[in-house]
Amino acid sequence: MLRAVMKIQSILAAATLPALAGSPPAEDREAILAMAGTHAVHFHFEETVAIATGYTVKPDSYDENATEIVTVVEDTTERITLQHLLVVRPKDKDPMVIKHWAQIWTWEDTEILDYCGEDQMHEWQCVRLTPGQAAGTWSQLVTQTDDTPRYEGYGKWIHENGESYWESSPTRRPLPRREYTKREDYDHLLVTNRHSLTATGWVHHQDNRKIVDRGDGPATTLCHESGLNTYNRTESELATVALDWWKEHGPFWDGVRNFWLEAGETAPATFSYSTFKDGEALSKRIAQLESDAADAATVRAALTPYVTAE
């Protein structure tokens, strides 16, 4: 694991960028904000190349469709947060809102969380960028459904040839939800993300490597995987359902998101959290706090015991 940490640090350090002072370009901010709206989404993941000896790529791809509303929940000069809300319609029941992932974009961010956990360890190393490395870049911190961190990378928005896109530094992340209860043959993903605006919305490309990193041996690549999630703008009455839900629940989740964000940003070397504390699951604790519509101070007091920062 130490070798993997040193390797990712060297990759990040090598990506030194020329200094670019001042506020973020307006076209960068416009590109990020353009990802908001109501979308018909198709999620597609497919293993493409076997790297490890004896491994055979899985023959079936992962494909799902959804209606997803992306709403702007924070918009300041140097930070934009987009919250994704899935809306499902169970048979013979009212539509149900599922709080999905969030994108937290920060201009010239010098603190990046690099996943370094294993098994059930939820741990991230705090990588510090120099001002020169961060100049002209945006970090993208992606959170999980409970607003704990999932991964973070950084890169520049590029606007050329009629296209606007952002490509991240290589970033490690835990096993995806679609596999973490089904697979034990690899330990984390190493991913390069690209967000590209299109005429009908935007696409999220993921160039994934499934990495085996255990014991005293060197980390090895099991296989490559391609991810392509397409977001096409649409009109849906479900958007009103999602936005009404967010009006009610958003203030609570703002407090939760800001708690985890601050916990990660202030950790001196590593940031980690436990899923159980004093016999109570973190998920159960957050659900109770949401039911109580707890304010930010109550959220902070309740969740702080789950956090370890070193």
Side-chain angles (χ1 to χ4, degrees):
M1 179 60 68
L2 179 59
R3 279 190 290 272
V5 169
M6 294 175 66
K7 180 179 179 181
I8 200 75
Q9 281 184 304
S10 67
I11 293 172
L12 291 169
T16 303
L17 298 164
L20 182 64
S23 299
E27 56 188 351
D28 287 8
R29 287 177 38 79
E30 291 169 1
I32 296 170
L33 293 170
M35 289 187 282
T38 303
H39 304 87
V41 187
H42 180 68
F43 303 99
H44 174 81
F45 292 91
E46 180 178 4
E47 292 187 354
T48 56
V49 180
I51 300 298
T53 300
Y55 183 77
T56 302
V57 297
K58 302 300 181 185
D60 297 326
S61 63
Y62 173 89
D63 291 273
E64 290 289 343
N65 295 302
T67 298
E68 186 148 303
I69 290 79
V70 183
T71 184
V72 180
V73 299
E74 181 183 14
D75 183 6
T76 65
T77 302
E78 298 184 347
R79 177 168 288 168
I80 298 172
T81 300
L82 305 177
Q83 178 63 59
H84 291 234
L85 302 168
L86 284 172
V87 185
V88 297
R89 195 192 297 270
K91 186 177 181 181
D92 299 326
K93 294 184 179 180
D94 293 334
M96 181 173 63
V97 178
I98 299 173
K99 180 181 170 296
H100 206 193
W101 57 298
Q103 311 177 47
I104 303 175
W105 294 86
T106 304
W107 170 248
E108 295 190 338
D109 192 1
T110 58
E111 300 171 341
I112 305 296
L113 292 180
D114 175 38
Y115 176 71
C116 60
E118 54 184 296
D119 296 329
Q120 297 302 311
M121 290 175 55
H122 306 279
E123 185 172 11
W124 288 259
Q125 182 190 25
C126 300
V127 178
R128 311 296 179 183
L129 304 182
T130 67
Q133 288 174 311
T137 70
W138 290 84
S139 68
Q140 184 207 43
L141 172 62
V142 167
T143 67
Q144 307 201 86
T145 57
D146 59 2
D147 280 328
T148 53
R150 177 157 180 78
Y151 62 86
E152 186 171 20
Y154 74 102
K156 275 190 173 183
W157 275 94
I158 304 298
H159 312 279
E160 61 182 15
N161 302 322
E163 180 183 7
S164 293
Y165 66 93
W166 174 89
E167 186 165 291
S168 76
S169 56
T171 176
R172 289 185 294 180
R173 66 180 69 172
L175 269 64
R177 285 182 293 274
R178 66 182 185 276
E179 289 192 336
Y180 78 91
T181 60
K182 303 174 182 178
R183 302 277 297 261
E184 296 182 351
D185 56 346
Y186 73 101
D187 299 292
H188 65 262
L189 293 171
L190 180 62
V191 181
T192 300
N193 288 292
R194 188 168 71 255
H195 287 246
S196 301
L197 302 187
T198 69
T200 59
W202 54 284
V203 294
H204 179 192
H205 305 261
Q206 298 181 48
D207 179 10
N208 300 341
R209 285 169 170 77
K210 296 183 177 181
I211 305 297
V212 180
D213 188 8
R214 55 189 65 167
D216 297 326
T220 59
T221 300
L222 184 68
C223 68
H224 293 186
E225 179 185 64
S226 175
L228 181 63
N229 300 335
T230 58
Y231 291 74
N232 289 315
R233 288 188 295 270
T234 188
E235 294 184 3
S236 173
E237 73 280 3
L238 298 179
T240 300
V241 175
L243 296 176
D244 286 347
W245 183 91
W246 186 254
K247 285 180 183 178
E248 179 181 354
H249 296 264
F252 165 75
W253 283 108
D254 286 344
V256 175
R257 184 180 65 256
N258 289 331
F259 168 79
W260 291 118
L261 187 61
E262 182 179 346
E265 288 182 338
T266 58
T270 62
F271 162 72
S272 62
Y273 67 89
S274 301
T275 54
F276 280 87
K277 186 68 176 180
D278 298 330
E280 185 171 33
L282 175 62
S283 58
K284 183 178 179 180
R285 190 73 183 100
I286 292 177
Q288 184 60 57
L289 290 167
E290 182 178 17
S291 177
D292 296 340
D295 61 19
T298 303
V299 166
R300 180 184 300 276
L303 299 187
T304 295
Y306 291 87
V307 174
T308 302
E310 298 178 353

